[in-house]
Amino acid sequence: YEKYGNPDGKQSLEVSIGLPSFLLDTTNRNFVLMAYLIIMVGIIPFCVWRYYSNSSKFGEKDVMYDTYSWYHHNLSEHTLLKSLPEILSGSAEFRSRNKPLADEKGEIQKTMQTVRSQMQKPKFNHPVCIKGNVLMHSHLCRKTSGLSEKLRDDLNYMLRCSTSLIDAMITVCQHQDALQTAVNCIQYGQYVTQALWTKDSTLLQLPHFTKNEVEHCSKGK
């Protein structure tokens, strides 16, 4: 025992590997080697390439570089507040999702009629810009009740992205030294958050306030 650490004398050493038994089975050797080769040489490098190719499209705050280029081209010191919904609608993040389907065109035209009085004359005729512009104005004017489930999902996606995109617009205005446009973008972000537009009373931010209550408050009754 003192010599070998065992009362029965010298013992042979056995080593086992903590892996599933089918991996160690000689009949499965070729299959295991092929699977290992495919994963290590094919799948993992492809995933790494895919990740870096996608990440190279995005800049600060996960905003696409194409979106920054779009903002640089369309934002200037003379950009008006009412033109910001259309510019936001042309962001690269919306170009694949907001392509109007054939059965949506009629609904988009119908929704446009309800918000046309609040819209500035469109500058871009691209279907993605038109659809996004109409959806944003339906939100700002609180006229989303008539939207289909698909259009409502597209609008909700735009609203989820709007915070980071409006921040990107402000950043572009800072680089261009366009102070008034930056202020307009900040104000536009508030309008998007509150679902209000330029002619609406700020009292509509309050819960349960409608135009009826606002009218009583403005008349002092």
Side-chain angles (χ1 to χ4, degrees):
Y1 183 86
E2 290 180 352
K3 184 175 182 180
Y4 296 107
N6 193 292
D8 296 328
K10 184 178 181 180
Q11 303 290 313
S12 61
L13 179 65
E14 294 184 358
V15 178
S16 61
I17 301 175
L19 293 174
S21 58
F22 74 90
L23 291 177
L24 304 177
D25 191 348
T26 56
T27 59
N28 298 330
R29 180 173 56 188
N30 292 336
F31 172 76
V32 173
L33 289 177
M34 288 298 298
Y36 177 81
L37 181 66
I38 292 173
I39 293 173
M40 295 300 295
V41 179
I43 296 178
I44 293 180
F46 174 77
C47 293
V48 173
W49 169 80
R50 187 68 180 270
Y51 170 77
Y52 279 103
S53 63
N54 288 335
S55 62
S56 64
K57 299 178 182 178
F58 293 87
E60 297 179 359
K61 301 177 181 179
D62 292 332
V63 176
M64 299 181 71
Y65 286 115
D66 286 346
T67 299
Y68 279 108
S69 177
W70 169 260
Y71 292 161
H72 274 287
H73 181 71
N74 291 286
L75 291 174
S76 67
E77 59 182 359
H78 304 296
T79 302
L80 301 177
L81 175 61
K82 281 197 169 185
S83 63
L84 294 180
E86 185 179 22
I87 295 175
L88 180 70
S89 302
S91 302
E93 283 77 1
F94 307 143
R95 292 173 189 171
S96 59
R97 186 184 180 99
N98 278 1
K99 289 183 179 179
L101 302 177
D103 57 343
E104 292 180 344
K105 293 182 180 179
E107 185 179 358
I108 293 172
Q109 291 296 328
K110 181 179 178 181
T111 306
M112 181 183 289
Q113 297 302 322
T114 63
V115 298
R116 183 181 293 274
S117 61
Q118 301 293 330
M119 293 176 60
Q120 191 180 33
K121 184 179 180 180
K123 182 180 178 182
F124 306 101
N125 292 323
H126 195 279
V128 172
C129 293
I130 295 175
K131 177 181 176 180
N133 194 15
V134 170
L135 291 179
M136 286 302 302
H137 276 88
S138 67
H139 166 71
L140 296 170
C141 299
R142 299 187 179 184
K143 295 182 179 180
T144 59
S145 57
L147 296 179
S148 64
E149 184 177 354
K150 174 63 170 59
L151 291 181
R152 191 181 296 273
D153 289 340
D154 292 339
L155 174 59
N156 289 337
Y157 176 76
M158 294 181 68
L159 295 177
R160 285 196 299 271
C161 299
S162 63
T163 300
S164 58
L165 293 178
I166 292 173
D167 286 343
M169 296 170 74
I170 297 172
T171 301
V172 171
C173 293
Q174 290 175 338
H175 287 306
Q176 296 180 345
D177 293 330
L179 175 60
Q180 184 56 51
T181 305
V183 173
N184 291 341
C185 291
I186 295 172
Q187 190 174 3
Y188 176 59
Q190 295 172 340
Y191 282 134
V192 172
T193 301
Q194 299 158 359
L196 298 176
W197 202 213
T198 53
K199 296 182 180 180
D200 293 328
S201 171
T202 54
L203 291 174
L204 289 174
Q205 301 174 52
L206 300 176
H208 312 296
F209 261 66
T210 65
K211 293 184 178 179
N212 187 30
E213 284 76 18
V214 170
E215 184 178 357
H216 285 298
C217 292
S218 62
K219 291 182 178 179
K221 295 183 180 180

